[in-house]
Amino acid sequence: MGVVMEELSRFGIGPVRGDAGHAAREMMALSLMDWASVTMAGTGEPVARIMRDMAVDDGGGAQASVAGLARKLPVRAAAMVNGTTSHALDYDDTHFAHIGHPSVAVVPAALAIAEWIEAPGADMLDAALIGVEGSIRMGRWLGRSHYQTGFHQTATAGAFGATLAAGRLLALSADQMAHALGLCATRAAGLKSQFGTMGKPYHAGLAAQTGVEVARAAKAGFVSTLDGIEGAQGFGRTHAAQADISAIEGLGRTWDILTISHKFHACCHGTHAMLEALAKIDIAAPDMAEMQLWTHPRWMSVCNIPHPRTGLEVKFSYAHCAAMALSGLDTSALDSFTDAIARDSYLTALASRVHVVADDNIAETAARIEVTMQSGAVHTSEHNLNRAMPTGSRRDKLEAKSRALLGARAAELIDAVGALPDLPTLCALLRAA
């Protein structure tokens, strides 16, 4: 057994301790509230409806709640549908250490298992925390080489996080957890080529379903290879892992979840530093001659679609998002990203004056802009998403986001999550969404 599998297995069944653990649990509660908000708001999306209808057609036991569906479905189906639905709007949390969306892969697995076995809310929250932290660390171990090759960390690293969360709730032993992780290594999958399509939110559902399935299999005695992650033909070597072992160090003592980023714009997180930088300068679209944007090269293959054809593709277009912001359109509003917006001739012309430049000197969480006006005047601005945000401010912004997404239902959701979630109430709210 390699170091990564051994450390993840130990972490998966270990306690959450100390002040750092308490702060991490508090952050996980905020991410849970954010996850539930975007999931409930996403139930009407076409990809959510398709996955929900397929799961209903398949049938099965009433084990776990599905967002937007009055009846319960089997645990695996619930994890798949809820994972896909929660990422349908692409409005969920991100961690830039591995460029992935942790909660949409992990929370659906933890919630489905917890509801099925009637676990306390505190246990579910800790399982989600362990899973999210594990997925971030696994993502860091896989590294940028994995991501740049074309693998989507939400799907790959996220599946390992979902496995940890599900396995913890099922009280797997360290050996069983290792076998679950080894089995996950042959199931985890997802390609960046799906960005801008329904395939991207599907990745989150795949990861959540994988975690549920392999944890249950291991609990039943399923045996897999213990070289599944680090072996000669393991996940790392076959998936272009950077294999940075320092990414696994300190598990349970330090918490990467504390630097998670929540979205306050309804588009790809890679565009957010640019949008925040634009918000710092007061300019009107008609007065702009051109705009130069400097961003990290990693984002050029993620959110630099030059000519988006759909509202979904607009979410992955620096130029079009900039044109929207310059024109006063609300990029935090879901209904701003429509197919009509993609075809709007004024926005298209404005976007053509936005030039995106890759710069290795720019942090992955940052952006720098220079706007030249028709008058010749030049405005510059920059922003880094890693700038610390007080917990109270983050909570206020997330609660405001929930109210914007859900209206009157947000108050019930905020109460249901709280510091320790009331799972029966939370699941009832999801079913009624």
Side-chain angles (χ1 to χ4, degrees):
M1 184 190 304
V3 174
V4 174
M5 185 174 286
E6 184 174 0
E7 288 300 305
L8 285 176
S9 298
R10 176 196 59 79
F11 178 61
I13 65 173
V16 177
R17 294 190 179 121
D19 291 343
H22 175 77
R25 188 184 287 116
E26 186 176 30
M27 186 68 85
M28 188 65 243
L30 291 176
S31 279
L32 177 60
M33 177 180 69
D34 188 51
W35 175 87
S37 297
V38 298
T39 302
M40 291 170 66
T43 55
E45 291 297 297
V47 68
R49 177 184 52 76
I50 290 169
M51 297 307 297
R52 202 163 55 237
D53 289 349
M54 287 174 60
V56 169
D57 285 346
D58 288 344
Q63 297 173 333
S65 296
V66 172
L69 187 66
R71 59 179 283 195
K72 294 183 181 181
L73 292 176
V75 174
R76 280 188 295 177
M80 165 62 88
V81 178
N82 288 338
T84 303
T85 302
S86 62
H87 199 39
L89 299 174
D90 218 312
Y91 209 176
D92 47 279
D93 61 24
T94 303
H95 201 288
F96 289 102
H98 72 109
I99 315 182
H101 301 267
S103 292
V104 292
V106 174
V107 171
L111 185 63
I113 293 287
E115 185 181 14
W116 179 43
I117 66 173
E118 299 182 349
D123 289 357
M124 180 267 167
L125 190 67
D126 276 358
L129 170 59
I130 292 292
V132 165
E133 184 69 19
S135 73
I136 296 168
R137 298 302 191 96
M138 187 64 183
R140 286 177 51 201
W141 182 80
L142 289 167
R144 294 304 188 267
S145 55
H146 173 76
Y147 187 78
Q148 288 304 107
T149 296
F151 296 108
H152 185 200
Q153 296 273 39
T154 303
T156 56
F160 290 96
T163 299
L164 290 172
R168 181 184 182 88
L169 285 162
L170 291 173
L172 299 190
S173 67
D175 285 345
Q176 288 173 326
M177 187 71 84
H179 284 297
L181 291 168
L183 186 56
C184 177
T186 206
R187 284 288 308 268
L191 300 175
K192 284 165 55 184
S193 59
Q194 295 288 347
F195 286 8
T197 76
M198 292 182 185
K200 187 173 188 285
Y202 182 55
H203 287 168
L206 284 172
Q209 183 188 55
T210 291
V212 165
E213 181 169 310
V214 301
R216 291 180 65 189
K219 182 72 173 180
F222 198 110
V223 174
S224 69
T225 177
L226 298 182
D227 288 329
I229 294 177
E230 294 167 89
Q233 292 186 315
F235 193 83
R237 295 192 188 187
T238 58
H239 287 70
Q242 196 167 313
D244 179 6
I245 200 64
S246 68
I248 306 300
E249 295 171 355
L251 273 169
R253 298 190 302 275
T254 60
W255 295 87
D256 281 5
I257 191 177
L258 295 175
T259 51
I260 205 165
S261 292
H262 293 99
K263 284 189 171 185
F264 304 111
H265 302 276
C267 45
C268 178
H269 221 148
T271 67
H272 288 206
M274 174 197 71
L275 292 169
E276 293 294 330
L278 272 171
K280 295 177 182 179
I281 53 179
D282 184 17
I283 55 175
D287 299 328
M288 186 193 83
E290 65 175 0
M291 172 181 146
Q292 196 92 338
L293 163 68
W294 289 270
T295 187
H296 192 279
R298 308 290 184 194
W299 294 111
M300 299 299 283
S301 62
V302 178
C303 49
N304 192 34
I305 296 176
H307 308 295
R309 298 161 298 174
T310 66
L312 185 56
E313 287 189 348
V314 168
K315 294 183 177 187
F316 295 89
S317 173
Y318 273 126
H320 219 88
C321 286
M324 291 172 65
L326 287 164
S327 301
L329 293 173
D330 185 3
T331 54
S332 70
L334 295 175
D335 56 7
S336 292
F337 294 87
T338 63
D339 291 351
I341 285 292
R343 297 189 298 267
D344 186 278
S345 59
Y346 178 77
L347 292 175
T348 301
L350 191 59
S352 70
R353 289 184 260 154
V354 177
H355 310 293
V356 184
V357 180
D359 186 346
D360 283 310
N361 296 314
I362 300 288
E364 292 180 355
T365 53
R368 180 164 60 90
I369 62 173
E370 181 180 279
V371 181
T372 302
M373 311 302 289
Q374 300 286 357
S375 65
V378 176
H379 299 276
T380 61
S381 181
E382 59 185 33
H383 188 81
N384 193 324
L385 296 173
N386 265 355
R387 185 178 62 185
M389 182 185 298
T391 300
S393 298
R394 187 185 298 266
R395 186 189 311 280
D396 289 345
K397 289 174 75 71
L398 287 173
E399 288 183 359
K401 174 181 171 180
S402 183
R403 288 190 290 270
L405 288 170
L406 304 177
R409 294 176 297 166
E412 294 179 273
L413 174 60
I414 293 167
D415 287 344
V417 174
L420 292 175
D422 175 350
L423 291 190
T425 301
L426 174 58
C427 290
L429 288 171
L430 287 171
R431 292 194 302 273

